[in-house]
Amino acid sequence: MGFFRGSIMLLCGVALLNTGGSGAQQTKNNVPRLKLSYKDMLESNNLVTFEGLPNSSAYHTFLLDEEKGRLVVGAKDHIFSFNLLNISKEFAQIPWPASSTRRDECKWAGKDLSRECSNFVKVLQPFNQTHVYVCGTGAFHPVCSYLDVGKKSEDSVFRLEPHVENGRGKSPYDPKLLTASMLIDGELYAGTSADFMGRDFAIFRTLGKHHPIRTEQHDSRWLNDPRFLGIHLISESDNPEDDKIYLFFRENAIDGEHTGKATHARVGQLCKNDLGGHRSLVNKWTTFLKARLICSVPGNNGIDTHFDELQDVFLMSTKDPKSPVVYAVFTTSSNIFKGSAVCMYSMTDIRRVFLGPYAHRDGPSYQWVPFQGRVPYPRPGTCPSKTFGGFDTTKDLPDEVVQFARSHPAMFNPVYPINNRPIIVKTDVDYQFTQIVVDKVEAEDGLYDVMFIGTDAGTILKVVSIPRGSWHDLEEVLLEEMTVFREPAAITAMELSTKQQQLYLGSDIGVSQMPLHRCEVYGKACAECCLARDPYCAWDGTECSRYFPMAKRRTRRQDIRNGDPLTQCSDLQHHDELSGQSTLQDKTVYGVENSSTFLECSPKSQRATTYWQYQSTTDDHKQEIKSEERFIHTEQGLLIRALNKKDSGIYLCQAVEHGFMQTVLKVNLEVIDTERLEDLLHRDEEAASAPAHEYSSSRETPNQRLWYRDFLSLVNHPTLNSVDEFCEQVWKRERKHKRQKSHLVQKVQLHQQQQQKTATSPRNHMHAQGLAAKWKHLQERQKGRNRRTHELERAPRSV
Ligand SMILES: *[C@@H]1O[C@H](CO)[C@@H](O)[C@H](O)[C@H]1NC(C)=O
Ligand SMILES: *[C@@H]1O[C@H](CO)[C@@H](O)[C@H](O)[C@H]1NC(C)=O
Ligand SMILES: *[C@@H]1O[C@H](CO)[C@@H](O)[C@H](O)[C@H]1NC(C)=O
Ligand SMILES: *[C@@H]1O[C@H](CO)[C@@H](O)[C@H](O)[C@H]1NC(C)=O
């Protein structure tokens, strides 16, 4: 059957856009290597979804319990319990609506009955071995209760206690507002709003044996319309008396600091053993301090672009539990400029700022300056402990310390990110970051932090930071972009289970679950697996699969740092394996003389650039096809205009990524000349008037017959004319663009006049030199990589 096996391809009409660029010369560092749509995710078994209840929404509050294998989710009027193995397999739900009396009151107070007068669950905190503390907005009347989840997962207990407590200072009234909460030693710490109007924001400590305590009320120096995003306990020394609570929030910049309204990202600190002052600041924090978090990039006019709208914070633990790394997601406040960034902060830097000068001003119309006077002892912000203070409780603090603390809650110096700049910036996209979780992954060549970033478009970005030479020079590799909700709903909750190797995602419309890795998607060849640079994956000798550092086997191939398949896979020495032949597509395409055709080739990796080679059917020699009048390279493939009989032959689509080339498509192009076309069309008429079995007469071989059938389907294709018209338009646009750029359009005759031209002819030699130069250029682009090179192996095999 020969090449007739291939299927007919006529693709010019399908989604051919973006005809810019000559392929291989572009850098594609900002595009995700792999982009998976919602459909892709479902079909490849990489997504499990809970589509929500018709009478619920706002699946925003998550509590991950890896021990019991459960994910508890708080939503509108409901609490859910999902099985971590598969959230759609079995789940329990508890309706927890507000009473009709509360709903009526809420409505009479002028609130929207359907959107606001429900019980939106905002707090889910483990209380003791069997119970979870749960709070909701209760139709603008916050309530809390206890959720019985049993001692062991086998108990499968999931029950809400009938006892209900006042939720003020724990959950906000308004469902639009957030609460950052944490329950430790029976005490609930919560940053929230504590009134119906949503004006009284504070950091509270409630429950437990102590009197409730909070931040100073109605003092914009302490908190100025804040939005709380995260709260964490971090110890300062081995003495638990020094334990501190850190809060992450954004708030309005204090008046006078800026003209107009500006937002600042903040980190705040408190001592866990703070009991408030004795004479002043009674039942108020005496150890509260806050500092600004900076995340900015230098602008071209000397003015930095600030990312101030803190959205989410994730603490990545390190060997030292006192020094987790703070990952923070920001967006811009600007209406004009839409952008997102991720910055990393060290606890050392944060602590240094809290030990630095306090911000001070003499009055509302004065500038903020570093406080120069005498700071009272013990220094405000220090916890009462044997380590530093020599005093037992904050109630023993001297009055002048409490007075100073009251009037100086802010630090003068801001906290700058590690390396003084964001690790990720995204400005050229129509989405913004909302959430982040980070996983530490052990790979063959080291430990990597893999970030999962949620967006407001219902997508997840998987990013790994790879050191270029040192840890001060990180390269961000965007591995995957995945759509995880059926509609572009913002990701509002995210939990990562290392035990299950799964990620759980919440939004307004439901809950989704996806594995942290899908190594098989990268391809079957060693080179493809290696190029992916996914620390979770390695080539195990037969396929791309999950890498386990424990099971050290010689056959495991992985190179995250360089993504170099040549050092990793070349000794395998099956040429096919190395060049990714296992995924090579082989197709036959028919074209009609003087009309246009389109050879579609889009490599799986969006990072790869493509270039095309031509090989005539009569000899093995391959040559590169340059973009010119008749041949146009597009992102999706090669467009050939005004087909010539001599264009018949083999077209190879080569994908180049990270200096590594692989053939991804082989197309056999068969150009039908006009005489033959007429002959066929004529026969087509005959065939139409004759019984079907007769039109393949004995004059034809079986091959010809098959060819004829395929050809008829091409000719009868309803869009044949429009394809040509479309190709014509693209060609004109391209030509115009080219003329503007250069008048020197180099003509390359693809097919030589004499079929017998050998590889040693001067013309081909020149062409080979051109390829070599291009190859060299590609290699040089891989700057600063310290590794052995394989010059010979790297050169295109065809030259
Ligand atoms: C999860 O459970 C659903 C329902 O039982 C099933 O259809 C689906 O295949 C499961 N998915 C996985 C990844 O186990
Ligand atoms: C919502 O609908 C489910 C059934 O789909 C029902 O079990 C539940 O009680 C309803 N919740 C409320 C708050 O009415
Ligand atoms: C946990 O707290 C709940 C609510 O106070 C209580 O009913 C339950 O007995 C406690 N469980 C244990 C194991 O202490
Ligand atoms: C194809 O185009 C060439 C050049 O424009 C022309 O000479 C030739 O007659 C055309 N053939 C047909 C069958 O239209």
Side-chain angles (χ1 to χ4, degrees):
M1 296 263 266
F3 63 70
F4 290 109
R5 222 178 1 169
S7 57
I8 288 273
M9 217 174 54
L10 188 71
L11 288 159
C12 192
V14 292
L16 169 62
L17 305 158
N18 222 337
T19 59
S22 61
Q25 254 52 298
Q26 301 164 345
T27 47
K28 293 187 165 186
N29 286 335
N30 235 344
V31 280
R33 194 171 181 278
L34 217 62
K35 198 167 176 169
L36 299 168
S37 68
Y38 183 65
K39 199 163 152 267
D40 292 340
M41 289 293 284
L42 285 177
E43 282 173 0
S44 61
N45 245 333
N46 274 299
L47 192 68
V48 180
T49 58
F50 166 69
E51 303 260 333
L53 295 183
N55 56 2
S56 189
S57 64
Y59 305 87
H60 301 332
T61 310
F62 277 20
L63 173 65
L64 179 73
D65 187 344
E66 292 196 281
E67 227 169 274
K68 293 197 183 82
R70 307 247 111 214
L71 176 73
V72 184
V73 174
K76 177 190 175 186
D77 291 334
H78 295 86
I79 309 162
F80 298 90
S81 171
F82 295 103
N83 185 340
L84 285 186
L85 288 172
N86 182 338
I87 59 163
S88 77
K89 209 163 152 195
E90 52 171 272
F91 65 88
Q93 70 192 60
I94 299 172
W96 192 28
S99 70
S100 56
T101 322
R102 290 283 178 232
R103 282 171 59 82
D104 287 345
E105 282 169 10
C106 176
K107 201 179 128 203
W108 294 330
K111 301 295 173 189
D112 186 303
L113 187 65
S114 64
R115 281 187 300 113
E116 296 174 305
C117 298
S118 293
N119 185 28
F120 292 85
V121 177
K122 296 283 181 180
V123 174
L124 281 173
Q125 289 292 321
F127 183 73
N128 60 21
Q129 271 190 304
T130 53
H131 283 70
V132 170
Y133 197 63
V134 47
C135 304
T137 60
F140 269 84
H141 186 95
V143 286
C144 296
S145 186
Y146 297 84
L147 185 67
D148 190 355
V149 292
K151 213 166 209 151
K152 289 183 256 122
S153 57
E154 303 90 83
D155 300 348
S156 59
V157 177
F158 191 57
R159 189 178 63 86
L160 194 66
E161 299 284 350
H163 167 79
V164 172
E165 298 179 355
N166 186 345
R168 188 169 172 271
K170 299 165 185 170
S171 163
Y173 287 62
D174 186 341
K176 284 193 295 294
L177 298 173
L178 305 165
T179 284
S181 62
M182 182 177 59
L183 210 152
I184 332 160
D185 300 337
E187 296 181 302
L188 183 75
Y189 295 78
T192 191
S193 115
D195 66 339
F196 186 88
M197 301 300 285
R199 293 208 188 111
D200 182 22
F201 287 91
I203 301 159
F204 294 90
R205 185 178 61 208
T206 52
L207 297 178
K209 55 187 187 295
H210 297 118
H211 191 282
I213 180 171
R214 57 168 291 167
T215 41
E216 182 73 304
Q217 206 167 2
H218 308 306
D219 186 336
S220 60
R221 288 176 303 182
W222 281 51
L223 294 169
N224 194 13
D225 203 13
R227 297 293 181 271
F228 296 97
L229 303 159
I231 181 164
H232 298 273
L233 172 75
I234 304 169
S235 37
E236 194 120 324
S237 72
D238 296 333
N239 180 358
E241 289 176 329
D242 300 321
D243 285 356
K244 280 183 177 166
I245 312 287
Y246 288 87
L247 286 115
F248 295 89
F249 56 101
R250 59 173 191 262
E251 64 173 351
N252 291 341
I254 305 167
D255 294 339
E257 208 163 354
H258 277 273
T259 46
K261 201 175 157 214
T263 305
H264 281 173
R266 295 287 193 184
V267 53
Q269 69 132 60
L270 295 166
C271 290
K272 186 168 170 281
N273 60 4
D274 194 335
L275 295 175
H278 180 57
R279 260 187 295 273
S280 66
L281 290 184
V282 178
N283 296 324
K284 308 273 169 64
W285 302 104
T286 60
T287 56
F288 175 69
L289 292 175
K290 66 178 181 182
R292 185 175 172 196
L293 293 172
I294 299 275
C295 185
S296 66
V297 287
N300 39 20
N301 47 5
I303 300 163
D304 290 353
T305 300
H306 280 272
F307 297 87
D308 282 319
E309 300 275 334
L310 184 62
Q311 300 294 340
D312 191 29
V313 164
F314 183 87
L315 262 57
M316 185 77 230
S317 54
T318 63
K319 266 184 236 122
D320 177 6
K322 297 189 280 291
S323 302
V325 175
V326 179
Y327 279 86
V329 163
F330 299 83
T331 58
T332 53
S333 332
S334 161
N335 300 324
I336 319 146
F337 173 70
K338 214 176 170 189
S340 310
V342 177
C343 276
M344 257 161 82
Y345 302 90
S346 82
M347 282 310 296
T348 313
D349 291 341
I350 291 174
R351 291 191 181 107
R352 188 182 300 123
V353 167
F354 284 127
L355 290 173
Y358 299 88
H360 176 84
R361 69 175 174 182
D362 288 323
S365 53
Y366 287 78
Q367 286 271 318
W368 286 97
V369 293
F371 180 75
Q372 304 280 5
R374 190 189 67 87
V375 175
Y377 182 85
R379 186 186 155 89
T382 312
C383 303
S385 93
K386 283 165 215 59
T387 322
F388 303 109
F391 60 108
D392 292 334
T393 146
T394 52
K395 291 198 194 275
D396 295 345
L397 286 172
D399 281 348
E400 62 162 348
V401 171
V402 177
Q403 283 307 326
F404 188 89
R406 192 178 169 192
S407 52
H408 295 89
M411 306 314 296
F412 182 77
N413 292 328
V415 183
Y416 290 98
I418 294 172
N419 298 333
N420 280 316
R421 57 162 192 264
I423 53 168
I424 302 174
V425 176
K426 267 249 178 260
T427 54
D428 49 352
V429 290
D430 54 3
Y431 58 78
Q432 289 190 313
F433 296 170
T434 55
Q435 294 275 311
I436 187 168
V437 294
V438 187
D439 192 19
K440 202 167 265 313
V441 185
E442 191 177 349
E444 190 74 30
D445 55 357
L447 277 175
Y448 292 93
D449 282 1
V450 178
M451 288 168 265
F452 294 89
I453 300 167
T455 73
D456 60 358
T459 58
I460 301 292
L461 310 179
K462 179 173 165 185
V463 187
V464 58
S465 29
I466 296 169
R468 274 202 189 89
S470 70
W471 284 103
H472 298 291
D473 186 12
L474 296 175
E475 176 188 4
E476 302 316 316
V477 179
L478 181 43
L479 299 173
E480 295 176 286
E481 181 180 323
M482 295 147 289
T483 305
V484 292
F485 286 103
R486 63 178 194 275
E487 284 165 38
I491 310 281
T492 50
M494 235 167 148
E495 282 290 346
L496 185 151
S497 166
T498 13
K499 201 169 160 188
Q500 306 288 347
Q501 294 284 295
Q502 299 278 323
L503 195 60
Y504 304 90
L505 311 146
S507 75
D508 249 329
I509 60 171
V511 182
S512 288
Q513 169 192 1
M514 57 173 255
L516 301 179
H517 38 79
R518 57 221 106 251
C519 304
E520 75 288 347
V521 175
Y522 293 127
K524 290 229 157 38
C526 176
E528 291 174 301
C529 192
C530 192
L531 279 172
R533 300 175 83 185
D534 188 329
Y536 290 108
C537 306
W539 199 75
D540 64 7
T542 42
E543 61 181 357
C544 197
S545 63
R546 174 78 172 105
Y547 173 79
F548 292 102
M550 296 308 160
K552 277 217 156 64
R553 272 188 284 153
R554 280 199 173 275
T555 49
R556 303 293 284 175
R557 310 298 169 104
Q558 195 190 40
D559 180 12
I560 309 307
R561 226 174 233 243
N562 302 311
D564 182 2
L566 290 157
T567 52
Q568 295 298 311
C569 310
S570 57
D571 62 310
L572 300 174
Q573 221 14 342
H574 317 302
H575 228 83
D576 286 359
E577 203 114 78
L578 183 58
S579 58
Q581 295 281 334
S582 57
T583 56
L584 178 65
Q585 278 184 287
D586 207 334
K587 285 183 174 168
T588 298
V589 173
Y590 298 96
V592 181
E593 194 180 2
N594 279 11
S595 74
S596 306
T597 194
F598 181 69
L599 310 181
E600 190 191 39
C601 176
S602 33
K604 208 182 296 172
S605 166
Q606 309 222 9
R607 287 278 188 93
T609 52
T610 53
Y611 82 100
W612 287 84
Q613 284 179 317
Y614 172 78
Q615 185 186 351
S616 92
T617 35
T618 48
D619 67 43
D620 279 352
H621 175 68
K622 293 173 194 144
Q623 48 186 318
E624 189 190 348
I625 302 167
K626 298 255 170 62
S627 233
E628 48 111 15
E629 287 231 354
R630 288 205 311 119
F631 297 87
I632 296 156
H633 293 270
T634 76
E635 292 264 323
Q636 285 80 21
L638 181 71
L639 178 60
I640 312 175
R641 201 188 148 261
L643 280 172
N644 193 312
K645 188 79 182 75
K646 292 163 196 154
D647 294 335
S648 290
I650 295 159
Y651 290 77
L652 297 162
C653 174
Q654 308 281 11
V656 182
E657 182 177 12
H658 220 251
F660 183 77
M661 183 174 76
Q662 56 183 8
T663 309
V664 287
L665 177 72
K666 190 174 163 195
V667 178
N668 234 308
L669 179 66
E670 179 83 346
V671 179
I672 302 144
D673 57 38
T674 332
E675 283 139 51
R676 201 144 163 228
L677 178 70
E678 266 161 23
D679 184 31
L680 280 164
L681 287 175
H682 180 62
R683 269 200 278 157
D684 188 27
E685 280 160 23
E686 278 178 8
S689 57
H693 65 271
E694 275 178 29
Y695 74 83
S696 54
S697 70
S698 54
R699 285 175 297 170
E700 297 165 78
T701 66
N703 271 1
Q704 275 175 313
R705 219 175 299 139
L706 187 68
W707 178 86
Y708 178 67
R709 202 191 59 211
D710 283 351
F711 176 69
L712 280 185
S713 71
L714 182 145
V715 176
N716 293 332
H717 201 286
T719 59
L720 186 63
N721 282 338
S722 58
V723 168
D724 244 347
E725 276 164 26
F726 184 72
C727 290
E728 201 64 19
Q729 277 174 18
V730 172
W731 175 75
K732 276 191 188 131
R733 204 158 57 219
E734 188 79 2
R735 192 172 52 172
K736 199 168 145 204
H737 176 71
K738 280 235 171 95
R739 258 202 231 110
Q740 285 160 351
K741 278 175 103 178
S742 156
H743 291 279
L744 293 168
V745 179
Q746 194 195 359
K747 282 235 166 192
V748 174
Q749 280 297 131
L750 252 193
H751 196 79
Q752 257 68 45
Q753 282 299 84
Q754 285 117 19
Q755 302 262 339
Q756 308 312 54
K757 277 233 168 192
T758 61
T760 49
S761 78
R763 189 188 194 105
N764 280 329
H765 185 67
M766 266 169 60
H767 185 72
Q769 280 187 332
L771 264 188
K774 178 177 221 158
W775 191 252
K776 201 152 178 234
H777 174 76
L778 271 173
Q779 283 201 296
E780 276 164 7
R781 285 229 318 268
Q782 304 181 53
K783 50 193 178 290
R785 299 205 184 290
N786 174 22
R787 63 170 129 130
R788 285 167 291 134
T789 50
H790 301 242
E791 291 295 341
L792 263 176
E793 289 173 53
R794 272 168 201 286
R797 279 168 286 125
S798 54
V799 179

